[in-house]
Structures are given as C-alpha cells and as structure tokens.
Amino acid sequence: MKKWTILTIAVLAAILLVMQYLIEKKKVAMSESGQQAGSAEQQLGVALPESATTYTGAAVDNYVPDYVGGAQYGTITMPTIQSTYKGACEASSLQDMLASHDKYWGFLARDAAFNQNETQKMYDYLADYTACQAAARTDASLCDSLPSDVQIDGKKVDVRITPNYRCRTKTVSLFFEAYRAGNISGDSYCRLGVGTFDKQDLERFSVPEFCSVLPKGQEAIEGFLLKAFAVDSPEAKARVRGAFPVKEGDCAKDKECLTKYELYNAVKKARPDACPNDYVQQCRALAERSAVPCEKTLQEMSKFYCAAVARVKKASGGYIGLSKEEAKVELDKLKAQRAEADEIKKQQQKIMEEVNKQVRETLKKK
C-alpha cells in the first residue's frame, strides 16, 4: 500500500513539472510575440522617405481648381446679385425671370413653355449677365449659382451649353488674360486658367513658378515652358506663342487664339470695347470694377423674355408654364364655367319670356 502511495505521488509530481514547463514556454512565446508587435508599431511610426514628402508637397503646390459644376436645376437663386431694373414688361425683372425658370423656360420646363432655341438664348443671356457681375467683383464663384449638369428623359445634356459652363469659361478666360496682362493680381486667377490645361502637362512644371512668370511677357513664358518640356523646336515655340499670343500674327487665324489675343490686348491697353463682341460688357465691368455695364445685358434679356412669353401665351391660350395634363384640366374648368354661364343665361332668358308673356296677358284682360 505504501509502495502505491509513493508511486502515485511521483506521477503527480511529474505531471506538475510538465505543466510548469509548458506554462513557462507559453510565457516566453507570448513575450517574443509582444516584442515583435512592438517592433511593428515602431515601424509604423518611422518617417516617410524624403521623396514621398516632396511628392505630397508638389501635389499641394500644383493645386488647380477642377470644374465641378454648378447649382441644381429648378428655381435659380442669386442672393448676392440684385438689380432695380423692373423689366421690359410686366413681371419681367431679374427675380421674375429667375422664378419662372423650369416653368416658363429651361431644360426642365413644362409643355407650354419656351422652345429649345428660346431657352438656350435665355441661358446664354443669364450666363453673360452673371459673368459680367463676376468680372465687376473679380469673383468667378458667382458662376456657381447657375445650373450645369442635367438629364432630360435619361439623356445627359451637353455641359457646354449649360449656363454654368458658359459663365465659368468666359470668366476664367478673361481673368487669365487679365492676369497675364498685369491687370489683376493674385495667382488664384492664374490657377483658374491653368485648371484648363492638360493634367499630364501640369506634372512637368511648377504651377506657382509658371504663374510668377506669366505676367512677365511672352519671351519669359516661352523660355519657362520650353525648358520644362525640354524642347526647343520652331514648332514648339509657335505653339507657345499661339497659346499666349501678344499679336494677331501669333494666331495663324486660329479662332480660339484670336479670342485670347483680343482679350489680352484689350485689357492690356485698357480698351474694353476692343474685346470680342460677346465679352464687351464683361470687359467694361472688369475695367470699371462696376456692375453698371451689366444692366445692358439684363435689359436685352428681359426684352427677349417678354417677347417669348407673349408668343407662348398666344400659342397656348394663356396656359403658359403648364403641362399638357394641367392645361387640359384648366381648359375643362373653363369649358364647364362657360357651359354653366350659358345655362344660367338660358334660364334667365326663359324667365324673362315667361314674365313678358304674363304681362301681355294681364294687359289684354284690362
């Protein structure tokens, strides 16, 4: 019995030793794992290579604003733009015309509304008026109060015919040339224009450096860009001159180039009337830093609006701004009212005839 007791104690002791060994081994493994985890955490805190931070800095430095579109369609609101002009006819002030957007006119207007050409004309007038206001304040953000992207019956409208796009394109072009001519300062105006450049081209040069060179003249621009692109051919020089013209001969009759030249030349010489025809009021507003020249565009817009409203009212029987279904409901109401009026008239006539008959009979008896 004593022998079995001793044997049992020995076995239990062995088991305890094995368990203790396993526990110690697990502790060591956990300790090593913790050291490895700590090492990994330290690696996460290591500073990025200098090249990585340089890249990030260059990306921020070369920031140019992207075109992101404007407001939603529906009633257009421009709270910062006010006008005392009451309009060329009743209810044709700026606020009246904006309130009727997508009702009387607009891409999403009802059936009894302006036709496509009339709507486009209204959008162009509105874009030009807003661009003029933007020029007066040297603030391109005013264009963002105008709508841009829209779909009609599932088909996307070409953004280039939207008022936001037209306003921004004209404003950015004018500001860029004015900056190049030394009329306005602040490289934000330069960056707006650079935002229209090919994105791959922007990787070849520093935007701040380019903007600092831009007002220094065509030769300075040419030298900067030829060096940045590592080219020096006559063709490359001609392209630079065409992109930044200072005389008509730089353009080789290219229409876009001629517009740039006319804007640059007009601003440089402080002759706003020398701007392209559809920029004249905008150039005047920039030169005067005043919105007064913009009123001419607003007056033309109002006059056109009045004529279009009159045409639609005549064609729709007065139901402008209504859908076909709504117009039918209104027409049915009118028919019912007329029928009711006719019935009342008939009843009145019948009563009068009866009264007259009784009067005649009474007179005969006398």
Side-chain angles (χ1 to χ4, degrees):
M1 185 70 180
K2 186 176 180 181
K3 181 179 179 181
W4 284 107
T5 302
I6 294 171
L7 182 60
T8 301
I9 292 171
V11 170
L12 289 173
I15 292 172
L16 287 172
L17 288 172
V18 171
M19 289 179 66
Q20 186 175 2
Y21 169 78
L22 291 174
I23 290 171
E24 291 297 327
K25 185 176 181 181
K26 187 174 182 180
K27 285 182 179 180
V28 171
M30 289 178 65
S31 175
E32 291 176 352
S33 176
Q35 290 176 357
Q36 290 175 357
S39 176
E41 289 175 357
Q42 290 174 359
Q43 289 295 325
L44 290 174
V46 173
L48 291 170
E50 185 177 353
S51 59
T53 56
T54 301
Y55 173 79
T56 303
V60 172
D61 210 28
N62 268 17
Y63 166 77
V64 292
D66 288 325
Y67 174 73
V68 294
Q72 297 296 315
Y73 283 80
T75 301
I76 300 173
T77 57
M78 296 192 293
T80 63
I81 299 178
Q82 302 293 330
S83 173
T84 58
Y85 179 61
K86 294 182 179 180
C89 64
E90 184 180 359
S92 64
S93 67
L94 173 63
Q95 295 307 319
D96 291 327
M97 291 186 286
L98 295 181
S100 67
H101 176 248
D102 276 344
K103 295 177 183 176
Y104 291 8
W105 63 280
F107 290 141
L108 304 179
R110 305 298 185 89
D111 296 294
F114 292 16
N115 61 36
Q116 184 176 349
N117 290 335
E118 290 168 335
T119 281
Q120 190 61 58
K121 187 73 172 177
M122 285 293 294
Y123 278 138
D124 290 349
Y125 270 129
L126 183 58
D128 290 350
Y129 176 71
T130 308
C132 185
Q133 291 278 348
R137 307 182 195 187
T138 59
D139 182 6
S141 68
L142 287 181
C143 295
D144 295 333
S145 61
L146 302 180
S148 56
D149 294 342
V150 67
Q151 289 188 353
I152 301 177
D153 298 328
K155 185 177 180 180
K156 188 174 182 180
V157 171
D158 186 349
V159 70
R160 292 172 297 180
I161 68 172
T162 64
N164 176 273
Y165 186 88
R166 179 181 174 93
C167 180
R168 280 192 64 86
T169 299
K170 293 184 67 176
T171 301
V172 169
S173 297
L174 177 59
F175 286 174
F176 187 77
E177 296 305 326
Y179 178 86
R180 183 163 75 98
N183 180 270
I184 55 177
S185 58
D187 75 350
S188 61
Y189 301 109
C190 172
R191 288 177 187 260
L192 281 171
V194 173
T196 64
F197 291 8
D198 188 295
K199 300 303 180 188
Q200 291 183 338
D201 289 345
L202 296 182
E203 298 175 2
R204 305 292 294 272
F205 61 85
S206 162
V207 171
E209 288 182 18
F210 171 78
C211 289
S212 68
V213 169
L214 190 60
K216 295 180 180 179
Q218 192 183 66
E219 288 187 9
I221 299 169
E222 182 180 292
F224 176 85
L225 290 177
L226 293 181
K227 181 179 179 181
F229 286 87
V231 291
D232 192 24
S233 65
E235 293 80 7
K237 292 179 179 179
R239 284 198 297 271
V240 172
R241 289 193 295 270
F244 308 96
V246 294
K247 59 182 184 295
E248 191 172 340
D250 291 332
C251 294
K253 298 182 179 180
D254 179 77
K255 186 177 180 181
E256 183 179 350
C257 175
L258 287 170
T259 297
K260 292 179 181 179
Y261 162 68
E262 289 174 6
L263 287 173
Y264 170 81
N265 184 56
V267 175
K268 186 77 172 177
K269 296 181 178 179
R271 293 175 52 209
D273 290 347
C275 282
N277 289 336
D278 59 344
Y279 279 87
V280 171
Q281 304 307 326
Q282 196 177 354
C283 288
R284 287 175 179 168
L286 178 65
E288 299 172 18
R289 299 298 196 270
S290 166
V292 172
C294 308
E295 290 300 294
K296 182 178 180 180
T297 302
L298 180 61
Q299 291 168 12
E300 291 176 356
M301 178 181 176
S302 180
K303 185 178 179 180
F304 177 83
Y305 175 85
C306 291
V309 167
R311 183 196 67 77
V312 177
K313 280 185 175 180
K314 183 178 180 180
S316 64
Y319 297 115
I320 186 171
L322 300 181
S323 67
K324 290 180 179 178
E325 293 76 15
E326 290 170 335
K328 185 178 183 303
V329 170
E330 293 299 320
L331 186 59
D332 289 344
K333 285 182 181 178
L334 181 60
K335 287 180 179 179
Q337 290 172 355
R338 287 176 177 174
E340 184 180 0
D342 289 342
E343 183 62 28
I344 292 173
K345 186 176 180 180
K346 288 179 181 179
Q347 292 296 329
Q348 289 175 340
Q349 187 175 359
K350 186 176 181 181
I351 292 171
M352 286 299 297
E353 289 175 354
E354 185 65 28
V355 170
N356 290 335
K357 181 180 178 182
Q358 291 179 3
V359 169
R360 286 194 298 269
E361 289 178 353
T362 301
L363 291 174
K364 284 180 181 180
K365 290 179 181 180
K366 290 182 178 181

